[in-house]
Amino acid sequence: MPLVVVGISVLVLLVLMTKLRLNGFAALLLVAVGVGLVQGIGPEKIPDVLAEGIGDQIGDTMLTIGLGAMVGRVMGDSGAAQRIAGRLLEVCGPRWVQVAMVLTAMLIGVTMFYEVAFVIIVPIAFTLVRVTRANLLWVGLPMSIALSTMHSFLPPHPGPTAVAATFHASVGLTLFYGLFIAVPIGATIALLWPRLPFVRAMNPSIPKGLVSERVFDEMPGMGWSLSVALLPVVLIAGAAVTDLAASGDSGPLHFVAFIGSAPIALLLTLLVAIWAFGPRIGRSLAEVSTSCKEAAQAMAMILLVIGAGGAFKNVLVEGGISDYIKDATDGWSISPIVLAWLIAAILRVALGSATVAVVTASGVALPLLAGSGVHPEVMVLAVSCGSIAFSHVNDPGFWMFKEYFNLSVLDAIKARTTYTTVLAILGLGGVLVLEQVLDALAV
């Protein structure tokens, strides 16, 4: 049974990494090869499947993570990150720093992918931790939870947008309805989770090379510091809003889409940061280049592990596990909202890919929508909520979370797998309530 194979592979991976202390990159590839053989993928095809999985994952994330890390390190080494962190502390005070991180993450995360927003905000979180001497998860976990919620629940993120197209739902209405669920649930979990005893018992250190250890007396002005930090947000959000509000094939729209793509937006931001926090304030280009090089060196193992997570995910997909789950759930006779959520959650557990989960679940649930009377926007949110559940070792985002917060595999499971699961369950409850409210208003 394919799901048994998934369960055994996860257990083997945990043993390799926790008991035998095998490097995460090697362990993921080893388990991926084993799963491929068990699932009947020919030995001659497995290398290609692994390469395709790594290529797809790294292709999506390397430019974003690499450029984002360089921007963050350039800002950190110039004192710009410390300037922003210091202003946040002045405005909110140490007591309210978590609220500040949640608000920042939600505002930025509405339009930006989790990975992009993460690498933009995390240098500020690292600097706040260093200045306040707070626990890394106390500051960083609320940010990650808020970003996860925005990315998984709401368009224009890829999963919800793809499902909206399948169900012929309004993207605008899906976003509007989704905010009523995502904001209160995401904020509640973001502020609650760092206070739980099993999370407070973790005290990871900041990974070396990702933040400057220097305490600055002279720093760039707040205007320049904040402008560079927000530049990719403005470019990416502007492109997303333009795409929602306008249609056509004109040159200006293509240009906005070009500069608003995450890699180009971050590349432009890096160029501005190199000048603004280099020659403009008296730092040589050689110093700025050293910051970029050290950021790239610090990212090398993180990218390898994330790429191997993509290989593991691709083996599960090519092994036919998503098709098995789709066939097994075709005859289930339950509420289409619950069914859509449940299939997405099962696929998320089995495959790790939220995008594959939502696309497959929407295809299964689509025939049920026509005669059910359920609002299509509610169905979109049901599938999207299910796709965030149970993030674990077959999810490349899990490894990004683990590596940036310098956690062991077990601690990452305790922190991330639990919060994603609770978000998904509360999201389903919110979706069911929303459908009742919309039905009542329609009467």
Side-chain angles (χ1 to χ4, degrees):
M1 183 177 179
L3 291 181
V4 174
V5 173
V6 174
I8 293 174
S9 68
V10 170
L11 290 175
V12 171
L13 185 59
L14 291 176
V15 171
L16 289 175
M17 295 187 65
T18 59
K19 299 295 184 182
L20 302 182
R21 303 292 181 183
L22 188 62
N23 172 269
F25 177 68
L28 280 163
L29 289 182
L30 184 61
V31 172
V33 170
V35 171
L37 292 172
V38 171
Q39 285 299 108
I41 300 176
E44 73 284 357
K45 294 183 179 179
I46 288 178
D48 292 335
V49 174
L50 295 179
E52 181 183 355
I54 292 174
D56 289 345
Q57 190 61 44
I58 294 297
D60 288 341
T61 59
M62 186 179 72
L63 291 175
T64 296
I65 292 177
L67 290 169
M70 290 181 185
V71 171
R73 186 60 189 264
V74 169
M75 292 183 65
D77 285 349
S78 67
Q82 185 179 323
R83 172 70 76 182
I84 296 173
R87 183 57 58 88
L88 276 174
L89 285 176
E90 289 176 11
V91 173
C92 301
R95 184 178 179 182
W96 298 100
V97 68
Q98 289 179 316
V99 175
M101 293 306 296
V102 170
L103 290 175
T104 302
M106 285 191 166
L107 288 172
I108 292 177
V110 168
T111 56
M112 296 182 71
F113 289 6
Y114 174 87
E115 294 85 356
V116 180
F118 191 101
V119 297
I120 289 173
I121 305 174
V122 79
I124 298 172
F126 286 159
T127 305
L128 283 170
V129 168
R130 184 171 53 77
V131 171
T132 62
R133 301 186 183 278
N135 185 304
L136 176 55
L137 293 181
W138 185 259
V139 177
L141 190 55
M143 173 201 76
S144 180
I145 292 172
L147 290 178
S148 293
T149 308
M150 297 293 108
H151 179 88
S152 299
F153 282 26
L154 306 174
H157 296 293
T161 302
V163 180
T166 300
F167 290 146
H168 302 290
S170 165
V171 172
L173 277 178
T174 303
L175 175 60
F176 178 71
Y177 293 155
L179 286 171
F180 286 100
I181 299 173
V183 171
I185 290 175
T188 300
I189 299 303
L191 296 176
L192 171 65
W193 230 242
R195 290 169 166 78
L196 297 178
F198 68 89
V199 175
R200 299 197 70 167
M202 306 173 198
N203 190 21
S205 59
I206 297 172
K208 293 186 181 299
L210 292 184
V211 67
S212 174
E213 299 295 331
R214 179 181 169 191
V215 177
F216 295 85
D217 295 321
E218 295 184 7
M219 296 172 282
M222 185 63 188
W224 275 105
S225 302
L226 196 59
S227 296
V228 173
L230 292 179
L231 178 58
V233 181
V234 172
L235 293 176
I236 296 171
V241 171
T242 301
D243 183 58
L244 289 173
S247 59
D249 198 34
S250 65
L253 290 178
H254 287 306
F255 177 74
V256 170
F258 169 70
I259 64 171
S261 64
I264 300 302
L266 285 167
L267 178 60
L268 293 174
T269 302
L270 178 60
L271 294 176
V272 173
I274 288 172
W275 174 78
F277 305 130
R280 191 189 70 85
I281 61 173
R283 294 180 73 221
S284 68
L285 288 177
E287 289 180 276
V288 179
S289 178
T290 298
S291 296
C292 293
K293 182 179 71 174
E294 290 177 352
Q297 290 172 342
M299 292 304 303
M301 183 51 67
I302 293 176
L303 286 171
L304 284 174
V305 172
I306 291 173
F312 186 27
K313 175 201 72 177
N314 200 46
V315 165
L316 294 173
V317 174
E318 292 295 323
I321 291 174
S322 61
D323 293 334
Y324 169 82
I325 294 172
K326 182 177 179 179
D327 293 340
T329 55
D330 269 344
W332 291 7
S333 180
I334 57 177
S335 161
I337 293 175
V338 176
L339 178 62
W341 180 92
L342 191 57
I343 295 171
I346 293 172
L347 285 162
R348 167 71 156 174
V349 174
L351 304 175
S353 171
T355 302
V356 174
V358 296
V359 170
T360 305
S362 61
V364 174
L366 181 60
L368 302 175
L369 179 62
S372 67
V374 177
H375 293 79
E377 293 79 16
V378 173
M379 287 290 284
V380 173
L381 293 172
V383 174
S384 300
C385 290
S387 73
I388 194 178
F390 306 107
S391 170
H392 64 101
V393 294
N394 61 1
D395 174 17
F398 171 91
W399 296 103
M400 181 177 178
F401 175 89
K402 173 197 174 298
E403 296 296 322
Y404 264 101
F405 289 136
N406 209 12
L407 297 166
S408 69
V409 176
L410 290 178
D411 281 347
I413 289 174
K414 290 177 184 177
R416 180 173 169 87
T417 307
T418 54
Y419 89 64
T420 54
T421 303
V422 172
L423 282 175
I425 293 171
L426 293 178
L428 174 61
V431 169
L432 292 171
V433 171
L434 175 65
E435 177 64 15
Q436 295 299 315
V437 171
L438 292 177
D439 285 344
L441 293 175
V443 174

